[in-house]
Amino acid sequence: GPPGTVKTVTAQFLASELKLPLLKIDASKVLSCWVGNSEKSVKKLFEDYSLIQTQLGRSPLLLLNEADQLLGARGAGEHAVEKMHNNMQNLLLEGLERFTGILVATTNRRELLDDAFSRRFTYKLELPQPDKPLQMELWKTHLPIKRLADDVDISQLADLGLSGGEIRLVVERAVRL
């Protein structure tokens, strides 16, 4: 879904509801400009997950935030950098084939996902911009309702058409000011 539509928060909520620890992977930490490092990071990702699984006696929810960085369409492999990226993605595909936990991948750019990765996801959810009734609920969730002035109109705030993430940022900034 678009930015601010609570994709990451939804994954956190899912982990909480399932009473599972959340293991969040930052795609930028996996990717490296050095030869072989991205591939090592992918292998380590699945090794660490298995180790944590063993230590906890259960599977944490694995969150790949901004997953299009890792799961994007593969190129023809004509250049060395493209070949390295394809190798890293092949390792990811192999890891996903053996993966036994719950994986949530978030992206603002679903069209960039490689079909080989996309078909491995059981469910694909589109989180759209919230409609006005949901925006009103989001404003109520983030604002200290009991401390608001009487002339604050939540309906008028919802007319601004902000996403959940934007509403949170507006409230946080207002508190700081």
Side-chain angles (χ1 to χ4, degrees):
T5 54
V6 298
K7 295 176 295 295
T8 303
V9 173
T10 300
Q12 293 167 337
F13 176 78
L14 181 60
S16 174
E17 285 295 302
L18 295 172
K19 296 181 179 21
L20 294 174
L22 179 71
L23 181 57
K24 184 177 174 183
I25 304 303
D26 181 358
S28 67
K29 300 263 192 298
V30 175
L31 297 174
S32 173
C33 63
W34 302 106
V35 175
N37 280 2
S38 296
E39 293 92 327
K40 286 179 190 173
S41 294
V42 168
K43 284 182 182 178
K44 185 168 175 23
L45 166 81
F46 289 107
E47 288 169 0
D48 288 352
Y49 184 87
S50 292
L51 180 64
I52 291 169
Q53 216 175 13
T54 302
Q55 289 173 343
L56 294 176
R58 59 191 175 144
S59 300
L61 187 140
L62 181 62
L63 171 61
L64 287 180
N65 228 9
E66 305 301 340
D68 50 277
Q69 292 181 57
L70 295 173
L71 311 179
R74 290 172 286 180
E78 295 173 7
H79 304 292
V81 172
E82 223 174 34
K83 287 179 183 178
M84 285 188 328
H85 193 72
N86 287 349
N87 287 340
M88 184 264 314
Q89 289 183 306
N90 289 336
L91 289 171
L92 265 169
L93 284 167
E94 289 174 18
L96 290 175
E97 284 296 321
R98 294 186 308 275
F99 188 72
T100 58
I102 297 173
L103 170 69
V104 174
T106 67
T107 182
N108 300 331
R109 310 279 313 271
R110 183 176 175 180
E111 73 279 2
L112 295 181
L113 295 181
D114 189 288
D115 290 339
F117 288 109
S118 187
R119 73 174 183 81
R120 284 172 169 78
F121 290 100
T122 305
Y123 302 103
K124 296 175 188 101
L125 305 176
E126 183 75 26
L127 298 179
Q129 286 287 100
D131 59 10
K132 186 172 178 172
L134 182 54
Q135 286 178 39
M136 289 178 62
E137 289 304 313
L138 289 167
W139 279 107
K140 289 175 187 174
T141 299
H142 289 289
L143 288 170
I145 298 297
K146 293 179 183 175
R147 296 177 56 196
L148 285 181
D150 292 335
D151 62 345
V152 173
D153 183 358
I154 301 289
S155 177
Q156 197 173 21
L157 291 172
D159 286 338
L160 296 172
L162 301 178
S163 70
E166 290 169 325
I167 291 169
R168 182 181 52 82
L169 290 173
V170 166
V171 172
E172 286 175 2
R173 180 160 168 80
V175 167
R176 282 193 297 274
L177 292 174

